[in-house]
Amino acid sequence: MDVLRTTLQPITHNLPAPLRTFAISLIGPTCYQTLVLDLDLTDQACLKLALSKGLGIGIVAASSIVKVPQILKLTSSRSAEGVSFLSYLLETAAYLIGLAYNFRNGFPFSTYGETALILVQNVAIAVLVLHYSGKSGLAAAFVAGLAGAAGALFTEEVLDMKTLGWLQAGAGALGVASKVPQIVAIWAEGGTGQLSAFTVFNYLLGSLTRIFTTLQEVDDKLILYGFIAGFVLNAVLAAQMLFYWNSPSSTKKPRVVAVPLKREAAAPIVPSSSAKSTGTTPRKGPTTRRRG
């Protein structure tokens, strides 16, 4: 280890200024000195903090595309089969409240940054679901309602922190409840329809990671319990995805309407052409012949 430290320290002591500034802002000057300059990997507290920050940044980066496969699947199939609008409505509301709560409390962006990116993608998916369900007019009202709610949530003069705290408690319940309609929809359809496996499994991994980062960096039970409950229901969705993996999108049988068959009229008997041409009539049988 001493040899490795001697080899690497000239590099870590001469990092570019932007990288050095970013690292210090991320893990703090004390842990930067310990982990980067001294290369001391025995400090458990600093190691956990660095791991939490790294995972947080990873989640934020991955969240920028986590629901893109779902959007592409909807647009390519032009169908919203198996995707619950109610589920996305509840989740979007929960994410909007959570974003405002974290931002106004000044929590590190790495602990909630994915919320903003997923929120935008959720709105796009919800609009597509409404559009492909023949409810395009409702999509405009949905977006307008979200814009008005966001204005209120981020404005101190409209909504104080105490009320926002109560809303965050409700948002945790909304986040949990948002998974239930999707679970029920999959069960009712007997398949996952247009639901994206990439999105489901990334959500499962992300919610598990968020439990760790929240424990390390955010002392807020409301947020922690929400992530724990979300992980449990994400696990149920992942289990359904595996169970229906090779199943068709829906097991519902198409409705068959019996159409009565039209009976064709019997064709008239037409005398043969030979009989017409000779002018003869069929001979009578022996039983009908007149006796002499």
Side-chain angles (χ1 to χ4, degrees):
M1 186 63 188
D2 291 337
V3 176
L4 184 62
R5 184 180 291 111
T6 303
T7 304
L8 293 178
Q9 275 185 333
I11 300 174
T12 61
H13 280 258
N14 293 281
L15 292 175
L19 184 59
R20 183 169 61 251
T21 303
F22 174 73
I24 293 174
S25 66
L26 201 63
I27 60 177
T30 302
C31 286
Y32 180 83
Q33 176 69 40
T34 302
L35 298 178
V36 179
L37 299 180
D38 298 339
L39 294 176
D40 181 8
L41 303 181
T42 61
D43 191 323
Q44 296 296 318
C46 284
L47 281 176
K48 288 181 179 180
L49 177 61
L51 178 60
S52 177
K53 292 293 187 182
L55 289 172
I57 292 173
I59 292 175
V60 173
S63 67
S64 62
I65 61 167
V66 68
K67 294 203 173 184
V68 171
Q70 181 66 79
I71 294 172
L72 294 177
K73 199 168 184 181
L74 286 169
T75 54
S76 62
S77 66
R78 303 186 68 81
S79 168
E81 181 189 10
V83 182
S84 169
F85 169 73
L86 179 58
S87 179
Y88 276 94
L89 173 63
L90 295 175
E91 186 179 68
T92 301
Y95 271 41
L96 183 59
I97 295 171
L99 180 63
Y101 181 79
N102 280 276
F103 177 80
R104 288 177 59 179
N105 272 290
F107 293 142
F109 184 75
S110 61
T111 64
Y112 71 91
E114 77 280 1
T115 304
L117 298 174
I118 294 176
L119 179 63
V120 174
Q121 295 169 75
N122 270 359
V123 173
I125 292 171
V127 169
L128 287 173
V129 171
L130 288 173
H131 175 69
Y132 293 132
S133 300
K135 301 174 182 177
S136 299
L138 191 58
F142 168 69
V143 174
L146 282 179
L153 289 167
F154 282 89
T155 306
E156 177 70 29
E157 290 74 16
V158 177
L159 199 68
D160 58 63
M161 281 303 301
K162 183 178 180 180
T163 306
L164 184 57
W166 285 108
L167 288 177
Q168 175 60 30
L174 276 180
V176 173
S178 69
K179 306 298 178 183
V180 176
Q182 185 64 75
I183 292 171
V184 172
I186 292 174
W187 177 81
E189 293 287 337
T192 54
Q194 303 306 318
L195 193 64
S196 167
F198 177 83
T199 299
V200 170
F201 289 111
N202 271 274
Y203 252 44
L204 179 65
L205 181 61
S207 58
L208 178 61
T209 305
R210 272 301 172 220
I211 293 173
F212 176 77
T213 59
T214 302
L215 285 170
Q216 294 301 314
E217 301 183 58
V218 179
D219 185 17
D220 195 309
K221 301 300 182 185
L222 288 176
I223 296 176
L224 176 63
Y225 294 154
F227 282 129
I228 292 173
F231 170 75
V232 172
L233 291 181
N234 281 329
V236 174
L237 278 172
Q240 285 183 312
M241 184 65 69
L242 291 173
F243 182 78
Y244 292 115
W245 191 265
N246 293 318
S247 299
S249 61
S250 176
T251 57
K252 288 183 177 180
K253 295 182 179 180
R255 183 180 171 185
V256 179
V257 180
V259 179
L261 297 175
K262 293 182 179 179
R263 185 174 294 177
E264 295 182 358
I269 299 175
V270 180
S272 64
S273 60
S274 59
K276 286 182 179 182
S277 61
T278 58
T280 59
T281 57
R283 293 182 179 181
K284 294 181 180 180
T287 58
T288 60
R289 190 176 298 168
R290 185 180 297 177
R291 296 186 182 187

